[in-house]
Amino acid sequence: MHIAILGGTGKEGRGLAYRWTRAGHTVVIGSRSLERATAAAAELNDLVAGAPAGRASDAPVSGADNPAAAAAGEVVVLAVPYEAQPPTLEAVRASLGGKVLVVTTVPIDPAARRRVRLPAAGSASAEAQQQLGDAARVVAAFQNVAYEQLTGEEPVECDVLIAGDDAAAKATVAGLVRDAGLRPWDIGPIANAVVPEALTVALININVKNKVRGAGIRITGVPPAA
Ligand SMILES: NC(=O)c1ccc[n+]([C@@H]2O[C@H](COP(=O)([O-])OP(=O)(O)OC[C@H]3O[C@@H](n4cnc5c(N)ncnc54)[C@H](OP(=O)(O)O)[C@@H]3O)[C@@H](O)[C@H]2O)c1
């Protein structure tokens, strides 16, 4: 699958790009700057080439500006800070054409990172769907996965809660979650994206209080076959 990661020059986007490239997907890194996107793509190609099991994708990671990346991706991932979400989405709206848009955003207040702050729409993901309307099928995912976990070689000890209003879009994202080495859980409509977004703030508090960086979540009580 061709996957565009808007803001893929940053921490979470790079981690996802690393995992998906190793799983055989073709990733294009999006940025406001073509130069930064190209540099991040080159770094990722070096990282993947040096990985123990070698690269799985035949296509190298590439870089593009955000609108060109969004046009190239079959699935588009938004990996920018909350404040950057509205302008980034506006910049790519014309390129989305009803595609699946994975929103990783946590609406953190940079001045109070340990306190929940939710937008009027209920969550950043719901806000993205409201902003875009029919231009994209928004699926919230990956809010609870720390980037440090994604660039390592160990299995990621965190599940992924997926919220969205389009069942086919959620199934596509669930496949990408598995390809990244994590377990997906469908938690219902986009209105429920408030759950993983707010939960991340709890994980930040756990990280701080226990002096760790990658606290995550696990769903228990469900047999593997389910
Ligand atoms: N970090 C984590 O462990 C983690 C975990 C779960 C979820 N998330 C969520 O994932 C998203 C990305 O997090 P991150 O830590 O990767 O963020 P980041 O590294 O701070 O930023 C990611 C990219 O966003 C772009 N960006 C930054 N400020 C911008 C602005 N004002 N306007 C437009 N674009 C801007 C930059 O790309 P260019 O300058 O190249 O355009 C930057 O490289 C956030 O919403 C975060 O809540 C993060």
Side-chain angles (χ1 to χ4, degrees), residues 61-194:
V61 181
S62 59
D65 60 42
N66 281 329
E74 298 168 78
V75 167
V76 181
V77 179
L78 182 70
V80 300
Y82 175 63
E83 288 69 24
Q85 177 175 298
T88 305
L89 292 181
E90 217 44 58
V92 303
R93 174 193 286 276
S95 307
L96 289 173
K99 290 175 187 173
V100 177
L101 176 75
V102 182
V103 170
T104 69
T105 315
V106 179
I108 289 174
D109 178 354
R113 291 179 52 79
R114 289 162 71 179
R115 199 176 310 149
V116 173
R117 178 197 63 168
L118 295 168
S123 65
S125 304
E127 195 173 83
Q129 187 67 81
Q130 277 183 12
Q131 181 181 345
L132 293 170
D134 292 341
R137 292 173 289 152
V138 171
V139 177
F142 297 107
Q143 282 80 6
N144 304 137
V145 186
Y147 78 93
E148 291 95 339
Q149 303 264 19
L150 293 169
T151 40
E153 302 307 321
E154 304 298 321
V156 181
E157 288 194 359
C158 185
D159 289 350
V160 175
L161 306 181
I162 295 177
D165 292 340
D166 185 298
K170 283 193 283 190
T172 299
V173 177
L176 292 177
V177 169
R178 286 189 200 94
D179 291 346
L182 296 100
R183 293 194 306 175
W185 298 98
D186 185 343
I187 62 160
I190 197 73
N192 293 350
V194 60

Side-chain angles (χ1 to χ4, degrees), residues 5 12-22 27 29 44 61:
I5 306 182
E12 188 76 357
R14 279 182 201 233
L16 291 170
Y18 180 69
R19 291 265 161 176
W20 284 327
T21 302
R22 295 194 64 195
V27 173
I29 297 292
L44 274 160
V61 181

Side-chain angles (χ1 to χ4, degrees), residues 183-222:
R183 293 194 306 175
W185 298 98
D186 185 343
I187 62 160
I190 197 73
N192 293 350
V194 60
V195 174
E197 292 186 20
L199 190 50
T200 299
V201 182
L203 294 174
I204 291 171
N205 276 274
I206 290 169
N207 280 339
V208 172
K209 290 177 199 301
N210 293 277
K211 298 184 172 54
V212 297
R213 297 181 72 89
I217 59 154
R218 278 281 193 230
I219 300 302
T220 61
V222 186

